[in-house]
């Protein structure tokens, strides 16, 4: 094995890594500051090393072989490990660091989780900035944005299946029902399954490739709702329910916040359902990065406090 490795130019693996991201010789040459013939020659040598075509020409361009797909993550991990040893990153100190982190989060995270998070960070990391992005329209979009390093972290209820991403379960929340005080559909101040099914609802627009978290959970139990109004904002659901006869189904902490300012009653769901699960999603390359590890630790610490407090 050692004799074989001595005959491999490490730069060839760099070429293979770049081709894995963009399998076009011209684009790879530009990114590597190499000529096209040099990249083509490197690919020829790589084919000999791995005894595989790796990339084959098609009408749509170069297409990776199963072997190339199999090598993608191990090669990237190996290059990352070498880079960390050759060029170790500077020690991260949150008190003086001025990083900017890009985070994609849904309305729940932005409204319930992050206000307290940013309040805390003002004290321990005063120069760190954040760029919050709305949740992705689809799993494919989320995966691509993290893969391209446009996002450092996403907090979401979907779980991408890409081997390039790490998906950690960090939080869960149960659902409750809200209705305005004096709603004529609710008798005896009890929410029954019949009332829930027959009363009009205001609900979120689903994502392009998946329903809202509520629809996914209720759908698994085959619970049907009479949806009269579709809204684009989670936080608008209680406000609409407070002025109409519609019910809304929201996470418990959203209900608790809304009930402080709106004339609403909160009821337990009249069904046994699963909780909404939230995940922290990030690229595998980031798992040993000091700044990124610190950020994940801070988010987990805050979520632990939320779980313990129940509020």
């Amino acid at each position: 094995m050692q004799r074989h490795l001595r005959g491999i130019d490490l730069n060839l693996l760099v070429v293979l890594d770049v081709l894995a991201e963009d399998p076009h010789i011209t684009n790879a040459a530009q990114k590597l500051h190499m000529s096209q013939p040099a990249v083509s020659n490197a690919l020829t040598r790589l084919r000999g090393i791995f005894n595989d075509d790796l990339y084959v020409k098609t009408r749509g361009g170069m297409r990776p072989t199963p072997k190339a797909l199999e090598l993608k993550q191990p090669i990237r991990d190996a290059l990352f490990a070498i880079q960390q040893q050759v060029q170790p990153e500077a020690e991260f100190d949150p008190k003086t660091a001025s990083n900017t982190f890009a985070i994609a989060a849904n309305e729940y995270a932005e409204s319930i989780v992050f206000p307290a998070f940013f309040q805390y960070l003002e004290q321990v990391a005063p120069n760190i900035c954040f760029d919050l992005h709305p949740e992705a329209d689809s799993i494919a979009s989320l995966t691509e944005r993290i893969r391209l390093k446009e996002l450092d972290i996403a907090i979401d209820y979907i779980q991408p299946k890409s081997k390039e991403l790490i998906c950690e379960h960090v939080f869960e929340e149960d659902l409750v029902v809200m209705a305005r005080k004096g709603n004529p559909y609710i008798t005896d101040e009890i929410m029954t399954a019949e009332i829930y099914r027959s009363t009009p609802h205001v609900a979120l627009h689903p994502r392009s490739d998946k329903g809202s978290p509520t629809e996914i959970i209720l759908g698994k139990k085959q619970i049907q709702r009479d949806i009269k109004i579709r809204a684009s904002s989670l936080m608008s659901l209680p406000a609409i329910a407070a002025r109409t006869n519609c019910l809304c189904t929201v996470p418990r902490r959203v209900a608790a916040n809304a009930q402080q300012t709106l004339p609403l009653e909160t009821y337990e769901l009249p069904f046994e359902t699963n909780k909404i699960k939230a995940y922290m999603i990030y690229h595998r390359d980031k798992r040993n990065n000091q700044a990124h590890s610190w950020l994940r630790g801070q988010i987990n610490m805050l979520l632990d406090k939320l779980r313990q407090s129940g509020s």
Side-chain angles (χ1 to χ4, degrees):
M1 175 64 75
Q2 290 180 351
R3 183 179 303 169
H4 181 59
L5 288 175
R6 281 200 295 269
I8 297 178
D9 182 351
L10 183 61
N11 290 315
L12 293 176
L13 301 185
V14 176
V15 172
L16 186 58
D17 183 53
V18 171
L19 285 171
E21 288 298 313
D22 187 351
H24 296 84
I25 297 295
T26 302
N27 295 345
Q30 291 176 348
K31 291 178 181 178
L32 292 164
H33 303 289
M34 297 169 62
S35 67
Q36 291 184 42
V39 174
S40 295
N41 180 60
L43 180 56
T44 299
R45 293 173 64 189
L46 285 163
R47 285 166 172 162
I49 291 170
F50 292 105
N51 193 29
D52 187 87
D53 287 336
L54 297 177
Y55 291 89
V56 295
K57 290 183 179 180
T58 67
R59 289 185 177 181
M62 299 284 277
R63 179 174 57 82
T65 66
K67 182 66 175 180
L69 295 174
E70 177 188 333
L71 289 169
K72 181 178 180 179
Q73 195 59 49
I75 293 296
R76 176 157 299 169
D77 288 344
L79 291 174
F80 180 78
I82 293 170
Q83 185 178 30
Q84 289 296 100
Q85 295 303 315
V86 175
Q87 294 179 317
E89 60 180 313
E91 194 72 25
F92 177 77
D93 182 357
K95 293 180 180 179
T96 58
S98 57
N99 302 54
T100 296
F101 293 106
I103 301 177
N106 57 23
E107 270 194 289
Y108 178 91
E110 280 202 19
S111 301
I112 304 299
V113 176
F114 282 123
F117 181 64
F118 295 143
Q119 180 185 26
Y120 166 72
L121 290 187
E122 279 186 338
Q123 308 302 317
V124 300
N127 299 316
I128 288 180
C129 298
F130 291 87
D131 187 7
L132 293 185
H133 296 249
E135 63 184 3
D137 292 334
S138 64
I139 295 177
S141 173
L142 176 61
T143 300
E144 184 70 1
R145 291 174 69 191
I146 296 178
R147 188 181 69 81
L148 294 176
K149 312 297 173 63
E150 294 176 1
L151 297 172
D152 292 295
I153 282 176
I155 306 295
D156 214 310
Y157 66 92
I158 61 176
Q159 288 182 275
K161 302 302 182 184
S162 171
K163 293 181 180 179
E164 295 181 70
L165 308 187
I166 293 175
C167 192
E168 298 178 4
H169 175 215
V170 292
F171 193 66
E172 58 186 33
E173 177 83 288
D174 56 348
L175 294 168
V176 295
V177 190
M178 302 199 82
R180 72 174 178 86
K181 293 181 178 179
N183 188 308
Y185 289 102
I186 301 174
T187 57
D188 300 324
E189 299 184 354
I190 296 175
M191 179 60 60
T192 65
E194 177 57 31
I195 291 173
Y196 188 84
R197 287 191 173 97
S198 62
T199 303
H201 286 251
V202 54
L204 273 179
H205 273 291
R207 268 169 150 162
S208 60
D209 63 347
K210 295 194 76 170
S212 68
T214 301
E215 288 178 323
I216 293 171
I217 288 172
L218 297 182
K220 289 180 178 178
K221 296 290 185 178
Q222 298 183 330
I223 299 169
Q224 300 296 321
R225 293 183 293 171
D226 176 16
I227 298 176
K228 184 176 182 180
I229 301 171
R230 286 281 188 185
S232 61
S233 166
L234 172 66
M235 298 304 162
S236 72
L237 301 187
I240 294 172
R243 290 178 173 269
T244 67
N245 291 329
C246 290
L247 306 180
C248 70
T249 306
V250 295
R252 186 176 295 278
R253 286 177 176 81
V254 172
N257 281 5
Q259 205 164 6
Q260 293 178 15
T261 57
L262 295 170
L264 291 162
E265 297 286 359
T266 299
Y267 303 89
E268 298 298 321
L269 273 173
F271 317 94
E272 288 290 332
T273 62
N274 296 328
K275 294 184 177 183
I276 295 175
K277 293 184 177 181
Y279 301 90
M280 180 159 55
I281 307 157
Y282 55 95
H283 200 282
R284 188 172 295 276
D285 287 355
K286 297 283 190 179
R287 65 189 184 278
N288 295 321
N289 179 276
Q290 289 186 41
H292 202 276
S293 295
W294 172 84
L295 175 62
R296 299 195 309 270
Q298 299 304 303
I299 293 174
N300 273 314
M301 182 177 68
L302 175 67
L303 292 175
D304 282 340
K305 290 181 178 179
L306 279 176
R307 282 191 291 268
Q308 293 168 10
S309 67
S311 62

